[in-house]
Amino acid sequence: MQNNFHFLRILTPVLETKLRDAVISECFTQDKDELILRFDTYGGTFFIRATMSPAFSCVSFPEDFHRARKNSTDLFPQLIGQRVTGIHQHSFERSFSILFTLGFSMVFKMHGNRANLLLVRANTVEELFKKNILSDLRVRPEALNRTVDWSYESFLRSEKDVKKLFFTFGKVIWYYLDRLSFFEVSADGQWKLIEELLQYLNQPSYFITSIEGKIHFSLVRCGQVRNKYNDPISALNEFYQSFVQSDVFDRERSSLVSAAKKALHSLQSSYDKAQKRLNVLQTENNYKIWADLIMANMHMISPGQDRVTLPDFYHANKEIEIKLRGELSPQKNAGVYYSKSKKQQIETRKLLEMSSSKEEEIVNARALLTNIEGATDLKAIRAIATGMKPARMDNTAESVPYHEFEHHGYRILVGKNAQGNDEMLNRFSHKDDLWLHAKDVTGSHVLIKYQAGKNFPKDVIERAAQLAGYNSKRKTESLCAIIVTPRKYVRKRKGDPAGAVVVAREEVILVEPGP
């Protein structure tokens, strides 16, 4: 309601008193949606800040304004040095004009998401602040003045179009009238409410209020009132600050909620995949049984067979068909199945450990989401955000060849690309750092930075391994083999392509890739 006609017609006389005979000395922007006008008056300096964002338009009057040294641009040079001759409020319109000498005027067209500032001379628009609103070039300021018939007879003729007749009221006033059961009373009852309202709007109070969780400027007491003012300029300045803070809070909280939900979804998806794979392993874990049956019945297997049917002594001697590799002996076929069984056991153990870890992470992620959604001020939101962001060691993080993560006090570096992998190893590694890489595929080199006198914790290694898997060609696999070795065993041969290295000694672990 800060742009409502009923408010602007009260504000403009106050501005005229403030700006009488003032000279405009600066007109500049340092934000694409904001124009600052500085006036030198007999009483000192007076600033007008015109915010013309599609999402929020408002004029406010900061007591002081420090112009930035950079990214600041002068606009409307024709006005500099001109004296204010008056202020004109366009009748029944959300716009007003500041009049200057030499026939210039600045129209403040406060039309919601199409708000704009128009430099006018001789009733012709010469220049726009928001140049993308081309239709404003055709505006004729004299035509902005309207004539409206608000007589009782006109009201009766309006019938169900009463909102259209009293178009200047705006959403907040209609919200207020709705709370007074305006649409439930008779026509005479409605007219009485309108007469009382119009009388009140000649000398209203000014409220900053919250309606359905959003900050509003209001001329009527409605919603959850935060403050009440008698001076329109003080009220507008306070509203601007309150709205900006509330808007920043809403946007930052919304961003954190989105990030937390995304992280929770990712954790839940990983957990579900692990459970699905565990179910397969636990219901189809027949490799050891097949190996045992082959070893117990080698006399029944002829050379070159590719399958054999044997009695299963684990299940009441029911017959079971087992595939064989014809080129291998019975003992070696059994060995193949024993090896597969061992791998299944390792995978099962890893999946159980990961599932337990994911369950805890899911609980923590849900608690974090609850905290974000329950935060009530910007300080709390930013404190939560600080805890969610990976730590950076310095302000040059964006220029280094790696992405940096932190886990339980350990720095983990992940190469950005092949060239970054080489640069990271050459410039940012120590021989005692731990080096990780997805086995047999291309991907990022990962380093866990060494801490003197400390061994690398298992959970830190697993976290780094997850990052190595996620930043490789195996990122979509349920389990990924990761090479782990001290940096001193990794070397680059002359002539090798970017990112290619030779590993002298390695250990391989299995993890689920994860961001």
Side-chain angles (χ1 to χ4, degrees), residues 80-113:
I80 302 304
Q82 290 200 42
R83 190 175 299 276
V84 176
T85 60
I87 295 183
H88 173 68
Q89 170 63 50
H90 300 285
S91 58
F92 298 99
E93 252 294 353
R94 294 174 293 166
S95 62
F96 64 93
S97 297
I98 300 180
L99 311 178
F100 297 94
T101 49
L102 302 180
F104 282 103
S105 64
M106 175 69 75
V107 177
F108 289 69
K109 185 172 75 73
M110 311 304 293
H111 288 190
N113 61 3

Side-chain angles (χ1 to χ4, degrees), residues 2 5 26 316:
Q2 71 276 10
F5 160 71
E26 281 190 288

Side-chain angles (χ1 to χ4, degrees), residues 282-297:
Q282 290 169 350
T283 56
E284 298 181 6
N285 186 16
N286 297 317
Y287 293 135
K288 186 177 183 304
I289 294 174
W290 295 345
D292 289 345
L293 294 179
I294 291 171
M295 291 299 294
N297 297 280

Side-chain angles (χ1 to χ4, degrees), residues 224-257:
Q224 297 178 331
V225 174
R226 297 187 174 193
N227 284 303
K228 176 183 176 182
Y229 299 86
N230 295 317
D231 173 54
I233 288 183
S234 298
L236 205 51
N237 286 342
E238 184 63 29
F239 167 70
Y240 174 84
Q241 295 298 332
S242 297
F243 183 91
V244 168
Q245 290 175 5
S246 176
D247 184 57
V248 170
F249 169 75
D250 287 343
R251 284 189 284 109
E252 292 193 14
R253 182 172 67 171
S254 177
S255 177
L256 283 188
V257 166

Side-chain angles (χ1 to χ4, degrees), residues 452-497:
K454 294 184 180 181
N455 294 323
F456 294 102
K458 181 180 178 181
D459 60 335
V460 174
I461 295 174
E462 289 182 348
R463 175 64 184 128
Q466 288 179 333
L467 290 168
Y470 186 77
N471 290 277
S472 77
K473 292 277 189 173
R474 298 194 189 278
K475 68 179 292 184
T476 59
E477 296 183 10
S478 58
L479 280 178
C480 179
I482 304 296
I483 299 171
V484 182
T485 190
R487 163 66 180 89
K488 61 187 177 184
Y489 295 125
V490 181
R491 65 184 178 88
K492 188 171 184 67
R493 296 175 300 196
K494 186 176 181 179
D496 279 349

Side-chain angles (χ1 to χ4, degrees), residues 399-467:
S399 65
V400 295
Y402 56 79
H403 299 291
E404 183 171 329
F405 300 82
E406 184 272 340
H407 192 72
H408 293 179
Y410 281 80
R411 293 173 63 203
I412 302 174
L413 312 185
V414 180
K416 291 181 177 178
N417 48 43
Q419 290 74 23
N421 289 337
D422 286 349
E423 188 179 355
M424 182 176 73
L425 289 179
N426 291 334
R427 294 179 50 208
F428 298 95
S429 68
H430 182 273
K431 67 183 181 67
D432 292 321
D433 292 343
L434 203 60
W435 182 88
L436 302 93
H437 194 284
K439 187 173 177 60
D440 299 329
V441 293
T442 58
S444 294
H445 294 200
V446 175
L447 287 175
I448 306 176
K449 297 303 292 178
Y450 172 71
Q451 295 185 17
K454 294 184 180 181
N455 294 323
F456 294 102
K458 181 180 178 181
D459 60 335
V460 174
I461 295 174
E462 289 182 348
R463 175 64 184 128
Q466 288 179 333
L467 290 168

